[in-house]
Structure formats: C-alpha cells, structure tokens
Amino acid sequence: MAAEEGVIIDENTSLFKLGWPVFIQLLLTMCIGYVDTFMLSRYSKTAVGGISNASQILSFLTLAFSVISSATGIIVAQYIGAKVKERLSQIYTVSVLFNLSVSVVISIILLVFTKQLFTIMQVPHSMMPDAISYLRIVGGFVFVEAAFDTFYQIFRSNGMTKIGMYISIGINLLNIAGNYLFLYGPLSYLNLGVKGVAISSAFSKCSALLMAVIYFAVKVEGNISFRYLKPFPTDILKKLLKIGIPTAGENISYNVAQLVILMIVNTMGEAAINAKAYCSILSNFAYLFSASAAMATAIVVGHAVGANKEDFAFRRVRKTLWVAVIISFGIAFTSFIISPFTLRLFTDSADIIKLGQKVMLICIFLEFGRTANLVIINSLKSAGDVKFPTYLGMASMWGVSVLIGYLLGIVSDMGLVGIWIAMAMDEILRGIMVYIRWMNGKWRGKKVV
C-alpha cells in the first residue's frame, strides 16, 4: 500500500512523493492571499496595504488554534509509527472540537475590536477603511480555518499529502472566480471592492472545510464523535497542550515580532508599506521548496521516531537540508535577477521598484538561514524536541529581527533595507544554532509515545 493510504512511513518512503503535493498545496494556499493582493493592486493602491495589515493580524491570531493542530500532527505521526492506533479517534475529536471553541472566541474578538487593533498597529488613515472591511469579513470565519487546519494536520501526519493539494486547487479556483465577479465581472456593479474580495475568500475557505470533512470521512482510519468525550480524555488534552504550547510558541513569537516590525514599517510611509507587501510575496516563493521538503521530512521523522529509528531520522534530515539549501538559494537568486520585471506586475512606481530590488538582494542571504530553520526545526518538533526551538526563536527574533531592525531601519535611517538585513541576520543565526542542535543529538529520546 502507498503512503497516501495512511500506512506507516519507513526508510523506503520517497520524500518527493510526500513533498511535491505539499509544495503545490503551500503554493496554492499562499496564492489565495497573493491573488487578492494582485487583483486589488489594479483596483486600489491603498487596498494593498490595508489587506497586508489585516492579513498580518489574522496570521497572528490564528496561531491560537495552531497550538492544538501542530501538536496533533506530531502525536498522530508518532502514534502511527509506534503502531498505537486505538486512541486516534479520541485525538481527532478533542483536537477539532477544542480548536473550534478557541477560534469562535477569536472571531468575536476580530469583529468587536477591529478598529482598535489597526489603531495600535499605526495603520495609515487612508488604508484603515479597507483594512477594517477585509478583517471583519474574513476574521468572522476564522473558526472555519481553525477546523480545516486541524484536518490538514491529520491528513499530513497520516501521509495523505495529496489531499491538501486537491483542496487547495479547488479553493484557489473558487477564490479567483469570486474576486473576478466582484471586481471586474457581473457583480462589479455592486462596487464592493475589498468587501467583495473578502467575501470570496471566506466562501472559498468554507468550501475547503466541507471538502476536508468529506475526505476525512472517506479516507482516514478513525472518526470524530462526541461519544469519545465520555468520559472526557483529559490525558489527551494535557498531552496536546504540553506539546502544542511550546511547539506553537516559536510561531507565535515570530508573528508577534512580525507585527512589531510591520508597525515600524508603517511609520516609513506608503512606499515602504507596499514594497514590503510585494517583496514578501516574491521572497516567499523562494522558501516554498524548503517548506515542502521540511514538512515531508517532518512526517518521516515523526513516524521514524515513533518506531525507534532515530538514526534513520538523523540521516534523512541531514540529506534533505543540503538539497533544500542549494535549491532555495537558486530560486532566491533567480527571484532577485528578475525582480525588476516581477515588481512591475504590482506597481509602476519607480521608487517602490528600486527599493524592492534592494530587498530582494538581501533575500538571497536570508534564505540560507530560513532553509535550515524550516527543515531542522520542523524535524526537532516531530521528534518531540519542542522547547529548544521556542526559546531560541524568542531570543533571536526579538534580539535581532526587532531590536536590530529598529536600530538599522529607524535610528540609522536605513528604512526597509535595514529591517530586511536584521531579519536575514536572525534567520542565519537561528539556522546555525538548530543545525548544531541536530548534529549533537540532544533531540534524541524526547518522543511523546
């Protein structure tokens, strides 16, 4: 049987077979927000910065339910690797229902305190209406994204990486069609603009959840039912929180740091805000290969550690790392070379294009560290070593990205270029530290099963 059917993954499992659907899925997931940005860049320049700020808030607040979903992926992978499947249905049930409960609270917060959040972030007045409209609509459906994220972790840890790809293809087509209808098509007469794009995004995410529920019922061994909560499996929830809180801690720290950095950038003017939005889009394409390789490797590591095959996990991570570094560097270098042309897809402003080219040059160096972080940190977490990446991330992100970013960007008046130099320094420093951690083997013996 193939890994796509959810069997134990071993030494013969092809990383390419696991990784290429993840690559497509990540690309398409990323494209949902980027399609919104691209289509709106031709509709309204202020809308781009508004959505960029709204997306940053959404990314941060949705981390609350990543605590459980990330832990679900780790535990399920190790349980399957150890051939302990009798409690998987309880894990699935607790994960989905807990995340739904948390995300409903988040949705209410976003609806009630929208304007206050953007005021704290110092969003320019011209961008405020679009940012508020987008966040209230998309944020009101955060609970849908929370449930889908949990299902996706379940699929991935079972080795069913193609499911995420199939769903991403469907929702991207829906999102593009919806954007066109509201911005340029038959519904453009409604003049909804950003609101129309937000409605399209929310509808596509609801469709994604529906498809995930259907796939789960048909493909996954196990089910979700309230009967698994009687008596309530307190031990499972405790284990999910024990692993999930530090696992998500690094991501939470990163996103809080990015919010602070965005607040700093917001003081630099509209050109810097939009240049950051465009360069973030272009630079993220460079990391897609590394991220997909990292996630595929993490699946293998989780199964291997659960099956007491740590030596195999060690070799697989080291091999994946060097391949990912070479390829991601090539993509980043190519992105810099063609940036004068790709930036023009978003804007005709000579100032923004010139600034964006400088940022894309720095991204070449940033990718070295980011690739190591993606591959090794995901593997450390899958092996059960969840605290070290969190503590390291908090220290480096705030001490380097934020502090040095402020000193270079504001105090030294280097602007957005100074911010990006600091972020590259942060990624490289953490990359070196986690590489040492993996090589010295301190992650061994920390499995959760």
Side-chain angles (χ1 to χ4, degrees):
M1 295 174 69
E4 191 61 25
E5 295 175 312
V7 301
I8 294 176
I9 296 168
D10 56 25
E11 291 91 335
N12 297 318
T13 301
S14 168
L15 269 187
F16 177 78
K17 186 174 182 179
L18 286 174
W20 77 263
V22 177
F23 177 87
I24 300 298
Q25 187 267 330
L26 288 175
L27 175 63
L28 294 175
T29 299
M30 187 173 68
C31 281
I32 291 179
Y34 293 169
V35 164
D36 291 349
T37 300
F38 177 76
M39 297 182 78
L40 277 170
S41 68
R42 302 296 177 181
Y43 182 86
S44 167
K45 292 184 178 179
T46 58
V48 173
I51 284 188
S52 177
N53 278 277
S55 297
Q56 197 74 57
I57 290 178
L58 285 169
S59 295
F60 169 61
L61 291 179
T62 53
L63 286 169
F65 54 77
S66 74
V67 170
I68 294 297
S69 60
S70 58
T72 300
I74 294 171
I75 294 176
V76 170
Q78 290 195 18
Y79 268 53
I80 294 174
K83 299 182 180 180
V84 180
K85 298 184 178 182
E86 57 270 15
R87 302 199 69 184
L88 288 179
S89 292
Q90 282 186 313
I91 296 173
Y92 298 155
T93 301
V94 172
S95 298
V96 171
L97 295 182
F98 185 87
N99 263 358
L100 276 174
S101 301
V102 172
S103 58
V104 167
V105 175
I106 294 174
S107 291
I108 294 173
I109 292 174
L110 290 173
L111 289 172
V112 175
F113 299 104
T114 310
K115 189 172 183 179
Q116 290 87 338
L117 289 170
F118 287 126
T119 300
I120 293 172
M121 290 183 64
Q122 303 182 51
V123 174
H125 180 73
S126 61
M127 297 180 178
M128 188 75 79
D130 287 333
I132 292 174
S133 297
Y134 188 85
L135 186 62
R136 280 182 173 163
I137 295 173
V138 177
F141 288 87
V142 160
F143 65 93
V144 173
E145 189 172 349
F148 173 75
D149 189 54
T150 308
F151 279 114
Y152 174 66
Q153 291 289 347
I154 293 171
F155 298 144
R156 197 179 75 182
S157 57
N158 275 274
M160 302 176 183
T161 54
K162 288 183 181 178
I163 292 178
M165 179 186 69
Y166 295 147
I167 294 176
S168 293
I169 291 172
I171 62 176
N172 267 270
L173 292 175
L174 285 174
N175 190 54
I176 292 171
N179 287 353
Y180 175 78
L181 286 174
F182 284 109
L183 294 179
Y184 312 108
L187 298 180
S188 59
Y189 76 94
L190 295 174
N191 199 30
L192 291 177
V194 169
K195 290 182 180 179
V197 170
I199 292 170
S200 174
S201 179
F203 177 77
S204 65
K205 289 179 180 179
C206 290
S207 301
L209 177 58
L210 177 61
M211 287 186 277
V213 171
I214 294 172
Y215 270 117
F216 178 84
V218 174
K219 295 287 187 179
V220 176
E221 181 181 347
N223 52 73
I224 296 172
S225 173
F226 282 105
R227 71 174 183 270
Y228 295 115
L229 302 181
K230 298 179 181 180
F232 189 83
T234 306
D235 60 323
I236 288 179
L237 180 59
K238 286 182 178 178
K239 183 173 286 189
L240 287 168
L241 292 173
K242 183 178 180 181
I243 297 169
I245 291 175
T247 299
E250 187 225 353
N251 291 330
I252 292 172
S253 176
Y254 174 82
N255 278 269
V256 175
Q258 289 300 307
L259 279 174
V260 174
I261 289 171
L262 184 58
M263 291 170 62
I264 296 173
V265 174
N266 282 339
T267 67
M268 298 178 181
E270 187 174 312
I273 296 172
N274 286 340
K276 181 184 183 301
Y278 301 146
C279 289
S280 294
I281 292 173
L282 297 178
S283 65
N284 277 341
F285 283 101
Y287 105 100
L288 277 180
F289 174 84
S290 299
S292 57
M295 290 185 182
T297 305
I299 298 170
V300 175
V301 169
H303 283 251
V305 169
N308 294 316
K309 297 178 180 179
E310 292 180 336
D311 288 340
F312 164 67
F314 174 81
R315 294 191 303 271
R316 178 55 67 92
V317 169
R318 191 171 57 178
K319 180 179 178 181
T320 302
L321 175 63
W322 296 117
V323 174
V325 165
I326 293 170
I327 295 179
S328 61
F329 169 79
I331 297 173
F333 182 77
T334 303
S335 295
F336 164 67
I337 295 298
I338 65 175
S339 61
F341 308 100
T342 52
L343 286 167
R344 284 189 174 89
L345 294 173
F346 301 100
T347 181
D348 295 323
S349 170
D351 291 337
I352 294 178
I353 292 173
K354 184 178 180 180
L355 178 59
Q357 287 179 261
K358 294 178 181 178
V359 170
M360 294 306 295
L361 175 61
I362 300 169
C363 286
I364 297 174
F365 302 94
L366 183 147
E367 284 308 315
F368 281 107
R370 184 157 67 174
T371 299
N373 287 324
L374 286 167
V375 174
I376 300 177
I377 288 177
N378 275 278
S379 297
L380 287 173
K381 291 176 179 178
S382 288
D385 187 8
V386 296
K387 292 183 179 180
F388 177 80
T390 300
Y391 299 149
L392 173 64
M394 289 179 177
S396 181
M397 292 168 195
W398 290 93
V400 181
S401 270
V402 176
L403 178 59
I404 296 181
Y406 175 79
L407 294 175
L408 293 178
I410 302 297
V411 179
S412 298
D413 200 27
M414 294 177 66
L416 191 63
V417 171
I419 295 290
W420 235 269
I421 289 174
M423 290 195 296
M425 293 170 62
D426 166 40
E427 295 284 2
I428 292 171
L429 174 62
R430 282 189 291 129
I432 293 171
M433 296 298 291
V434 295
Y435 178 75
I436 294 173
R437 179 76 169 187
W438 187 260
M439 294 302 294
N440 66 25
K442 290 186 178 180
W443 52 274
R444 296 174 183 266
K446 295 182 180 291
K447 70 176 185 176
V448 299
V449 178

